[in-house]
Amino acid sequence: MHTHLTIVTGSSRGLGAALVAQRLLPGHVVLGIARHANPTLQAQADAAGARLEQWTLDLADPVPAAQRLRDWLEHFDGAALASATLINNAGVVGRPAPLEQTPPGPGPLVELSGALRAGLEAALLLSAAFLAATRDWPGARRLLNISSGLGRRAMAGSAAYCAAKAGMDHFTRALALEQAASANPARVVSMAPGVIDTGMQAALRAADPALFPERERFVKFQSDGLLVSPQDCATRLLARLEATDFGALTVDDVREG
């Protein structure tokens, strides 16, 4: 009997893969959405008696993903589920550089557009699909948006990423107001996860310092041992997700409280 449902975007690696791995328990259904599947997670699910589905989708094209999610959720017996959770984790940092130095041609513009669509538009559309499909489900409904300190403190060289995360924080505030007026409210939080040892950090450390003046700050995070492993961060995020006061703060930071 599967009684808990969790949906995670950006699920094939880094923090997303760690979140999925820690949800692969008996009685759990987990849906991962990413550009690539993760065979290690599938093997873990099979061994644990959990149900894992992995959709290989590019969230830079979010409309089909959102429609597919709503259709998929409508086939569930919501009354049989104790909880349903959506974790919008996917994000794209892109090439660290000032916006005015975007190279000519359509490719770099498509990259910038994709960063906003995968990091913000997809989260909004998937949230709409999730909340609509589960509106009448009696179990606990939770929506966790993985934000960033860069949504609250701008950084030169990462305009698209900063814009996506700031937008995520603010649309979460709007969702929380909407849900507070709902007959069956979901708890909604936008959470900054701290500084995690992922591919994004490696990309920032490898950036051209002439284009990315804050590069040394990210080099120092690593040299000073300040990076948190994806596994440790996932543990802390899921603990906050399950806490009785989840949703008390709409925009939060896992390092606080």
Side-chain angles (χ1 to χ4, degrees), residues 96 199-209 212 215 218-219:
M200 173 185 162
Q201 287 289 320
L204 294 174
R205 293 194 300 271
D208 182 347
F212 184 53
R215 173 183 173 274
F218 290 89
V219 171

Side-chain angles (χ1 to χ4, degrees), residues 75-131:
H75 286 88
F76 273 86
D77 178 9
L81 291 171
S83 70
T85 302
L86 170 63
I87 304 176
N88 284 309
N89 166 70
V92 179
V93 68
R95 185 181 73 101
L99 202 59
E100 71 174 16
Q101 296 192 35
T102 302
L109 296 177
V110 168
E111 182 180 337
L112 285 170
S113 174
L116 282 171
R117 299 190 77 187
L120 179 56
E121 186 181 342
L124 189 147
L125 296 183
L126 292 170
S127 296
F130 173 79
L131 292 169

Side-chain angles (χ1 to χ4, degrees), residues 15 19 87-89 144-148 165 168 191 193 237:
L15 178 59
L19 288 164
I87 304 176
N88 284 309
N89 166 70
L144 174 60
N145 287 326
I146 305 299
S147 185
S148 170
K165 293 305 185 182
M168 173 178 275
M191 185 82 71
L237 285 168

Side-chain angles (χ1 to χ4, degrees), residues 36-167:
H36 305 285
N38 184 321
T40 300
L41 290 174
Q42 193 64 59
Q44 181 184 338
D46 295 343
R51 175 182 160 193
L52 173 65
E53 291 198 28
Q54 298 188 76
W55 293 355
T56 52
L57 299 174
D58 186 350
L59 290 178
D61 184 17
V63 172
Q67 186 59 58
R68 182 176 175 182
L69 178 63
R70 183 161 185 173
D71 292 345
W72 185 74
L73 287 169
E74 288 176 349
H75 286 88
F76 273 86
D77 178 9
L81 291 171
S83 70
T85 302
L86 170 63
I87 304 176
N88 284 309
N89 166 70
V92 179
V93 68
R95 185 181 73 101
L99 202 59
E100 71 174 16
Q101 296 192 35
T102 302
L109 296 177
V110 168
E111 182 180 337
L112 285 170
S113 174
L116 282 171
R117 299 190 77 187
L120 179 56
E121 186 181 342
L124 189 147
L125 296 183
L126 292 170
S127 296
F130 173 79
L131 292 169
T134 65
R135 180 189 296 118
D136 297 323
W137 291 10
R141 296 187 302 147
R142 300 183 184 93
L143 198 161
L144 174 60
N145 287 326
I146 305 299
S147 185
S148 170
L150 295 182
R152 303 160 198 180
R153 185 193 71 83
M155 180 174 73
S158 292
Y161 186 80
C162 290
K165 293 305 185 182

Side-chain angles (χ1 to χ4, degrees), residues 8-23 38 41 87-91 144-148 161 165 191-200 228-238 254:
V8 181
T9 68
S11 56
S12 64
R13 59 182 183 172
L15 178 59
L19 288 164
V20 169
Q22 293 185 31
R23 284 299 227 199
N38 184 321
L41 290 174
I87 304 176
N88 284 309
N89 166 70
L144 174 60
N145 287 326
I146 305 299
S147 185
S148 170
Y161 186 80
K165 293 305 185 182
M191 185 82 71
V195 187
I196 314 167
D197 193 5
T198 63
M200 173 185 162
V228 177
S229 73
Q231 294 74 22
D232 287 347
C233 183
T235 298
R236 296 178 67 182
L237 285 168
L238 293 175
V254 77

